[in-house]
Amino acid sequence: MAPKKNPKYERLRWTIFGVTWLAYAGFYLTRKSFSVAKNELKKADVMGLTKAQMSGMDAAYSLAYAGGQFLWGTLGDRFGTRKVVLFGMMASVLTAAMMGTLTTAGGMALLFTLQGLWQSSGWAPLGKNMGEFFSRRERGSVMGFWCTNYALGGFVGSVVAGVAAKHYGWRYAFYVPAGLLALIWVLFLLFQKNRPEDAGLPSIEEYHGESEPVIDKAESVVEEKEGTWHVVMAVLKNGMVWYLGAVYFLIKPTRYLLLFWSPVYIAETLKTDTGQSGLLSSMFDLAGPIGTLAGGIASDKIFQSKRMPVAVLALFALAVVMVVFPFIPLSRWGVGLGMFVMGFLVFIPDSLISGTAAIDFGTKKGASTANGVINGMGSIGQVLGVMLPGFAEAHMAKGQNIWPVIFVGLGISLGVGGLMLAPLWHRLPPEAKR
């Protein structure tokens, strides 16, 4: 028999769902500004940035983002979601606003690097917040919905920045998103809570009548006390967390290559302008919510809360698509559809590994640290992904098409990730000892 629902509890946890979803989607408003503005910033009468310069800026951003994941993930478990996210979000707002005032490449590089550090403050602590309010038996489906934040956030961020740039100039691709994120900061301040216990309610496991999983199967729930360095260290010693991080290292380059460079790829392939390229590239982000929903629900309903089977199947399918896509002559509709398919497939393993599985194996107590480790390692791969266009252009013959080599290389990386996950097909986190 299903446990009786408490209206106050249900109201609070769906409020948390909404405000944390909005917070992370909001981070993408200021994250997407630079990628949308690239087609203007490379013009000689604006900043005259080359692919190598823009790749370098993306790499600096990504390095700061990777380091920040480890930092903010640990601090999220130690000091709680609220403090970390409020600080990082406001820092992102101020940095984006300043980026819109710049006239030099050096200033843009410096501030975009700082933006990477602030952006990394969102995912791990917010994932922990969700783990506090939603238990494992429902987590795949709920996190499937929740992980639409970064998929849909990227789509909305692209559209907002693109429309602002088209109507008011490239500087407004930074100003308008910064203003919108400031409004979200206020909502987060008003409505977010770290744990049900902060509102005088029982833990989610007690509420749902579930046993609480542990990081170390040799320890009890009491021994793994939340908010302590002991929990943080337990996560850092967990081999499964690092293994998932290694797999995510192979996946994230594809998502970020397409996230940061698809407008340029489309413009060069189809000779479209900035607005058209941004719109077609947004099909990649638009497909993301569908992928995260499908993957999360399938992991709960078909595979009994096992995350790996769905991730493995999606990785193998995406590997094939990436290898063949650049060799098929396509119209604008065809390229848009291809971006949609790639978005659908990549967001399935991305969300399951970096979101749901991180909370499962890090547990709610160590979810922020686990998220930080997995996403930190993924973000090191992200650095390689965003540098690929500049590296390829520098080392291939002048005038040669760089994109087929890049797509094939990423397809191989995804296939290796699928092979690494396949042996974990049936893996679940350990239960607390009785």
Side-chain angles (χ1 to χ4, degrees):
M1 186 175 68
K4 185 178 179 180
K5 291 187 176 182
N6 178 334
K8 180 181 177 182
Y9 205 121
E10 293 300 317
R11 244 188 339 266
L12 177 59
R13 71 195 203 118
W14 290 108
T15 297
I16 295 299
F17 179 100
V19 76
T20 55
W21 187 100
L22 188 61
Y24 199 69
F27 270 106
Y28 269 78
L29 291 167
T30 48
R31 186 179 303 192
K32 290 289 287 186
S33 298
F34 181 67
S35 64
V36 170
K38 277 178 178 174
N39 283 316
E40 295 299 315
L41 295 175
K42 70 181 183 179
K43 293 179 179 178
D45 59 344
V46 182
M47 283 191 187
L49 299 181
T50 64
K51 280 193 182 72
Q53 286 177 312
M54 291 188 287
S55 285
M57 291 180 189
D58 286 344
Y61 167 98
S62 299
L63 284 170
Y65 187 86
Q69 288 284 354
F70 292 100
L71 171 67
W72 301 119
T74 301
L75 294 179
D77 279 330
R78 186 68 180 86
F79 299 108
T81 298
R82 185 175 183 81
K83 292 178 180 178
V84 172
V85 173
L86 284 173
F87 173 82
M89 198 184 300
M90 181 52 66
S92 179
V93 168
L94 296 175
T95 300
M98 287 189 287
M99 289 175 75
T101 69
L102 296 177
T103 58
T104 65
M108 186 66 76
L110 175 61
L111 288 184
F112 194 46
T113 301
L114 285 174
Q115 186 66 270
L117 182 60
W118 313 139
Q119 287 285 326
S120 64
S121 68
W123 182 256
L126 289 169
K128 173 183 177 64
N129 211 176
M130 285 294 291
E132 294 281 3
F133 285 87
F134 295 92
S135 60
R136 184 163 63 90
R137 73 176 183 212
E138 63 185 349
R139 195 171 291 148
S141 301
V142 172
M143 289 298 291
F145 280 90
W146 190 79
C147 285
T148 61
N149 53 21
Y150 68 93
L152 192 56
F155 170 72
V156 173
S158 295
V159 172
V160 167
V163 170
K166 181 176 181 179
H167 290 283
Y168 305 108
W170 69 266
R171 295 183 187 278
Y172 284 84
F174 295 95
Y175 294 150
V176 173
L180 293 174
L181 184 57
L183 294 176
I184 293 171
W185 184 92
V186 174
L187 293 175
F188 193 84
L189 176 68
L190 293 175
F191 295 109
Q192 187 270 347
K193 289 187 182 297
N194 283 342
R195 306 183 305 157
E197 292 91 326
D198 294 340
L201 297 168
S203 70
I204 187 61
E205 288 81 14
E206 184 180 347
Y207 179 56
H208 276 174
E210 292 186 21
S211 60
E212 186 171 335
V214 289
I215 304 164
D216 185 346
K217 63 183 179 181
E219 293 191 336
S220 67
V221 174
V222 174
E223 289 171 315
E224 291 187 345
K225 187 176 180 182
E226 187 162 2
T228 62
W229 288 116
H230 175 74
V231 166
V232 170
M233 293 307 299
V235 173
L236 294 177
K237 294 176 183 177
N238 188 318
M240 182 63 175
V241 170
W242 289 98
Y243 192 84
L244 290 175
V247 174
Y248 199 42
F249 170 86
L250 298 171
I251 298 172
K252 205 166 184 180
T254 296
R255 184 163 74 87
Y256 265 79
L257 183 281
L258 294 170
L259 187 71
F260 278 20
W261 282 96
S262 58
V264 177
Y265 164 74
I266 292 168
E268 292 183 355
T269 302
L270 299 179
K271 311 304 179 187
T272 48
D273 62 25
T274 299
Q276 293 170 328
S277 300
L279 182 61
L280 287 173
S281 72
S282 71
M283 294 299 102
F284 172 81
D285 301 296
L286 183 62
I290 304 172
T292 62
L293 286 169
I297 292 171
S299 74
D300 271 352
K301 306 300 183 183
I302 300 175
F303 295 100
Q304 292 77 50
S305 296
K306 297 183 182 74
R307 318 303 175 193
M308 306 311 162
V310 185
V312 169
L313 295 173
L315 281 171
F316 286 144
L318 179 59
V320 173
V321 172
M322 292 294 292
V323 169
V324 303
F325 182 75
F327 300 101
I328 304 173
L330 295 171
S331 64
R332 293 184 184 182
W333 281 102
V335 169
L337 178 61
M339 289 290 138
F340 188 92
V341 170
M342 286 184 280
F344 174 81
L345 290 172
V346 77
F347 276 93
I348 291 174
D350 192 284
S351 62
L352 286 172
I353 293 171
S354 69
T356 313
I359 300 172
D360 284 349
F361 290 96
T363 77
K364 67 177 187 180
K365 295 176 182 178
S368 188
T369 303
N371 265 309
V373 168
I374 293 170
N375 279 278
M377 293 184 69
S379 296
I380 296 171
Q382 169 186 324
V383 174
L384 302 178
V386 298
M387 289 180 67
L388 283 174
F391 181 84
E393 187 175 65
H395 290 84
M396 292 175 67
K398 188 174 182 179
Q400 187 175 355
N401 186 0
I402 65 173
W403 299 109
V405 173
I406 291 172
F407 275 70
V408 170
L410 291 173
I412 294 171
S413 175
L414 293 163
V416 172
L419 290 173
M420 288 178 66
L421 275 187
L424 304 179
W425 190 277
H426 297 291
R427 183 69 65 90
L428 287 169
E431 298 287 344
K433 65 182 182 181
R434 300 288 181 180

